[in-house]
Amino acid sequence: MKSWKPLVLATCAAAAFAAPLAHADCTYPKSPDAAPDGNSATLEQMVAAKKDFDRYNGDMNKYLDCIKLEMDAATPADPTKLTPEEKKKADEQQKMLVQKNNAAVDELQAVVARFNEQLKIFKAKNKK
């Protein structure tokens, strides 16, 4: 019968190296420049802005997916086996990741709302 010890050690070593890499992959996206003024923007400016805001939305969703992966990775398989110090550290890490997630969602909603407001103004002005 083969021993599981080498497999367990290899898995633990891989996990130790993967955890920092997962964190390194979560790059916060750059928000687009301010939306063009809907009162004076041209159609070309609004189309270009929409593309930039769509890119940002996609990048932000990738960032949020990455944060979710970090949260999953930081969740202990069996929290009952943690020492009080380990439990506190895991709880703090989860709290920090939830705060990152919530801040990113808040920013995304605010940025998109500003663009949508200008788009609404643009459409009303250019209604024919």
Side-chain angles (χ1 to χ4, degrees):
M1 180 181 239
K2 292 186 177 182
S3 170
W4 286 95
K5 193 172 186 177
L7 179 60
V8 171
L9 290 175
T11 303
C12 290
F17 286 110
L21 294 176
H23 180 70
D25 291 342
C26 296
T27 303
Y28 200 86
K30 179 187 179 307
S31 67
D33 294 330
D37 182 347
N39 286 307
S40 60
T42 65
L43 176 61
E44 292 78 21
Q45 289 172 320
M46 292 305 288
V47 168
K50 180 171 182 341
K51 287 180 184 177
D52 198 24
F53 279 81
D54 286 346
R55 176 218 37 96
Y56 170 70
N57 188 55
D59 291 349
M60 187 60 86
N61 284 323
K62 288 177 190 172
Y63 173 78
L64 292 169
D65 288 344
C66 185
I67 293 294
K68 170 78 169 93
L69 288 174
E70 282 191 359
M71 290 172 78
D72 291 346
T75 302
D78 187 358
T80 62
K81 293 185 179 180
L82 298 177
T83 66
E85 295 82 23
E86 291 170 330
K87 170 107 172 71
K88 181 178 177 185
K89 185 177 178 181
D91 290 346
E92 288 172 357
Q93 187 174 16
Q94 285 291 330
K95 182 179 177 183
M96 186 240 346
L97 291 169
V98 167
Q99 288 173 340
K100 281 182 159 184
N101 180 84
N102 293 347
V105 169
D106 290 345
E107 180 183 313
L108 176 61
Q109 289 173 340
V111 166
V112 171
R114 287 192 299 268
F115 173 75
N116 286 339
E117 181 62 29
Q118 294 306 313
L119 182 59
K120 182 179 174 182
I121 293 168
F122 176 82
K123 285 182 177 182
K125 181 181 175 275
N126 293 286
K127 198 176 195 182
K128 293 184 182 182

